């Protein structure tokens, strides 16, 4: 980064003190700020008559931060759709004193950079759960500020890069949807009207292990939306109230009773065999001669399969009831014969290889913008 002249944030920003004047029958957006520069968003609307504590109004293009989490990147610009939204005193907002000196869009990019998050951390103090940013210390911090023309040129380049990464992500998502549709089309074609119950294909089979107080148990969780199993930290027997854990075995189908209806179901990969899940995760094994584990694992990743689990349980959203094993096993679905499943698995493996490539591209794409910000604002802020 060039040796830009430095200036105190307090010379650029002016604390907003606009009190919110609320009409009892009107609704207002409340603001929340995502961590690590992920944006300023609405956390929902609230009726004026339901607001019982002091609130302030925020305006579009103000800089806003979370006193508690600015040190974790919870800072950004108020978007135009949240103009007039309300916040508590834990979310101070700032007007720009002179947009001809500091372009708000430039500041919007700067605050997403690692050096600026470090600045916020340095302006925070307190003990473990009470760390908060100190506004006077924050406003006294110096930043390097390029001339306005250079600010605008940087904003234009960063905006263009952000748009390109957004377009690539949209393309990758479309490719994922096409791949899923291809799997389902092949599945239905091979099933050719043959319908079975899941109990014809899999059975409840759990390797239940009693919890011993001085033993350690490496855990797994199941991500929703077909994202699969993941390893979690080990817990000691004395740290849990569960009396048993389910030990995972090769090719076990793991169903989250709580979130199975939104895709928290997956086939156990080899690297997680032998790890443990709570009794809320039920395990099933394929019936020999009836189902190919990798085939079942692929269709479990599809929104179509999750919709079958939704139909098997009652309720909406967080109030949806658990997916019990008997409900799961009673689900009926079209299913190819074992021989046709084996043929399809070869196709699925080729699609999986393409999916892995897309995942690698997605990871690189997601890292591009943060890496660019790191390079542009790489010098530690004064």
């Amino acid at each position: 980064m060039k040796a830009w002249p430095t200036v105190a944030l307090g010379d650029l920003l002016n604390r907003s003190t606009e009190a919110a004047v609320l009409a009892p029958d009107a609704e207002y957006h409340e603001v929340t700020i995502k961590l690590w520069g992920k944006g300023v968003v609405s956390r929902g609307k609230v009726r004026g008559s339901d607001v019982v504590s002091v609130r302030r109004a925020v305006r579009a293009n103000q800089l806003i931060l979370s006193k508690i989490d600015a040190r974790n990147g919870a800072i950004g610009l108020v978007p135009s759709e949240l103009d007039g939204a309300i916040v508590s005193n834990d979310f101070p907002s700032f007007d720009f004193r002179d947009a001809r000196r500091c372009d708000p869009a430039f500041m919007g990019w700067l605050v997403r950079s690692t050096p600026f998050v470090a600045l916020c951390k340095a302006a925070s103090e307190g003990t473990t759960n009470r760390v908060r940013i100190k506004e006077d210390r924050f406003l006294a911090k110096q930043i390097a500020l390029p001339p306005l023309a250079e600010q605008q040129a940087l904003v234009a380049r960063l905006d263009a890069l952000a748009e390109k990464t957004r377009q690539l992500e949209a393309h990758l998502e479309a490719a994922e949807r096409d791949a899923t549709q291809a799997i389902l089309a092949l599945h239905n074609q091979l099933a050719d009207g043959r319908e079975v119950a899941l109990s014809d294909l899999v059975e409840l089979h759990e390797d239940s292990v009693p919890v011993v107080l001085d033993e350690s148990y490496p855990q797994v969780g199941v991500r929703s939306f077909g994202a699969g199993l993941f390893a979690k930290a080990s817990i000691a027997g004395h740290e849990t109230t569960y009396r048993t854990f389910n030990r995972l075995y090769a090719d076990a189908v793991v169903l989250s009773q709580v979130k199975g209806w939104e895709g928290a179901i997956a086939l156990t990969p080899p690297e997680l065999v032998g790890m443990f899940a709570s009794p809320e995760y039920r395990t099933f094994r394929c019936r020999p001669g009836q189902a190919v584990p990798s085939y079942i694992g692929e269709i479990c990743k599809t929104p179509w399969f999750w919709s079958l689990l939704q139909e098997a349980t009652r309720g909406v959203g967080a109030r949806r009831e658990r997916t019990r094993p008997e409900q799961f096993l009673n689900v009926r679905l079209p299913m190819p014969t074992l021989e046709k499943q084996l043929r399809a698995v070869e196709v699925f493996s080729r699609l999986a290889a393409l999916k892995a490539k897309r995942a690698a591209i997605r990871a690189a794409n997601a890292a591009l913008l943060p890496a660019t910000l790191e390079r542009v604002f790489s010098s530690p802020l004064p």
Side-chain angles (χ1 to χ4, degrees), residues 33 35-36 64-75 90 111 116-121 124 131-133 138:
I33 310 172
L35 303 183
W36 312 120
I64 186 171
L65 59 84
S66 162
K67 284 186 176 180
I68 297 173
D69 280 320
R71 61 196 171 94
N72 295 317
I75 183 170
D90 278 335
V111 299
F116 198 91
V117 173
L119 178 154
C120 292
K121 189 172 184 179
S124 302
V131 178
R132 280 175 161 73
I133 198 167
F138 172 73

Side-chain angles (χ1 to χ4, degrees), residues 211-217 233-241 245:
V211 173
V212 178
L213 293 180
D214 58 356
E215 291 287 337
S216 181
Y217 300 89
S234 298
I235 65 172
H238 63 80
E239 295 176 317
T240 180
T241 58
F245 284 132

Side-chain angles (χ1 to χ4, degrees), residues 102-378:
C102 178
D103 186 338
F106 172 80
M107 184 68 79
W109 281 116
L110 172 63
V111 299
R112 295 173 63 177
S113 68
T114 301
F116 198 91
V117 173
L119 178 154
C120 292
K121 189 172 184 179
S124 302
E125 68 176 27
T127 54
T128 306
N129 292 323
R130 301 180 65 85
V131 178
R132 280 175 161 73
I133 198 167
K134 300 300 178 185
E135 289 184 44
D136 54 347
R137 188 182 299 180
F138 172 73
L139 292 173
K141 291 292 183 183
Q142 302 266 325
I143 65 166
L145 186 69
L148 184 63
E150 197 167 346
Q151 294 175 40
Q152 293 169 336
L154 275 172
V155 168
R157 290 201 291 272
L158 291 170
D159 284 349
L161 179 60
E163 176 59 19
K164 287 180 180 177
T165 59
R166 187 199 64 76
Q167 291 176 0
L168 178 56
E169 178 61 25
H171 173 76
L172 292 170
E173 288 182 1
E176 286 297 319
R177 289 194 296 271
D178 290 344
T180 298
Q181 289 303 315
I183 288 172
L184 290 177
L186 180 61
H187 171 75
N188 287 310
Q189 179 184 353
L190 294 178
D192 194 23
R194 177 178 181 261
E195 185 176 296
V196 300
L198 274 174
S199 58
D200 296 323
L201 305 171
V202 300
E203 60 185 347
L204 183 66
H205 178 75
E206 294 175 319
D207 184 5
S208 183
V209 177
V211 173
V212 178
L213 293 180
D214 58 356
E215 291 287 337
S216 181
Y217 300 89
Q219 298 286 296
V220 299
V222 190
R223 293 189 176 93
S224 297
F225 309 112
L229 295 170
F230 63 99
K232 297 165 60 177
S234 298
I235 65 172
H238 63 80
E239 295 176 317
T240 180
T241 58
Y242 290 118
R243 295 184 177 180
T244 63
F245 284 132
N246 286 329
R247 182 162 48 199
L248 302 191
Y249 50 89
D251 290 335
V253 176
V254 182
L255 167 71
S256 165
Q257 293 192 130
V258 178
K259 294 292 185 180
W261 57 273
E262 65 174 22
I265 179 171
L267 190 71
T268 302
E271 63 271 21
L272 298 184
V273 170
M275 298 184 74
F276 298 88
S278 83
E280 286 288 4
Y281 298 97
R282 313 306 297 265
T283 58
F284 301 81
R285 67 180 176 188
C286 290
R287 293 185 183 276
Q290 298 300 318
V292 179
S294 56
Y295 189 96
I296 299 298
E298 281 301 322
I299 66 168
C300 284
K301 298 175 183 176
T302 66
W304 164 76
F305 188 80
W306 314 335
S307 72
L308 297 178
L309 300 187
Q310 290 173 20
E311 292 172 5
T313 55
R314 293 174 297 182
V316 176
R319 293 181 179 274
R320 184 174 289 278
E321 65 182 14
R322 284 172 165 73
T323 308
R324 304 293 182 189
E326 57 273 21
Q327 294 169 309
F328 178 71
L329 293 171
N330 282 336
V331 168
R332 296 191 65 82
L333 72 169
M335 181 57 62
T337 61
L338 185 72
E339 291 74 18
K340 291 181 178 178
Q341 292 176 40
L342 289 168
R343 284 162 44 195
V345 164
E346 295 180 12
V347 178
F348 291 170
S349 65
R350 293 196 291 272
L351 291 174
L354 293 174
K355 183 174 184 176
K357 290 182 179 178
R358 287 194 295 272
I361 294 172
R362 175 174 280 117
N365 189 49
L368 183 58
L369 195 52
T372 302
L373 292 176
E374 186 77 20
R375 187 172 64 253
V376 171
F377 304 110
S378 58

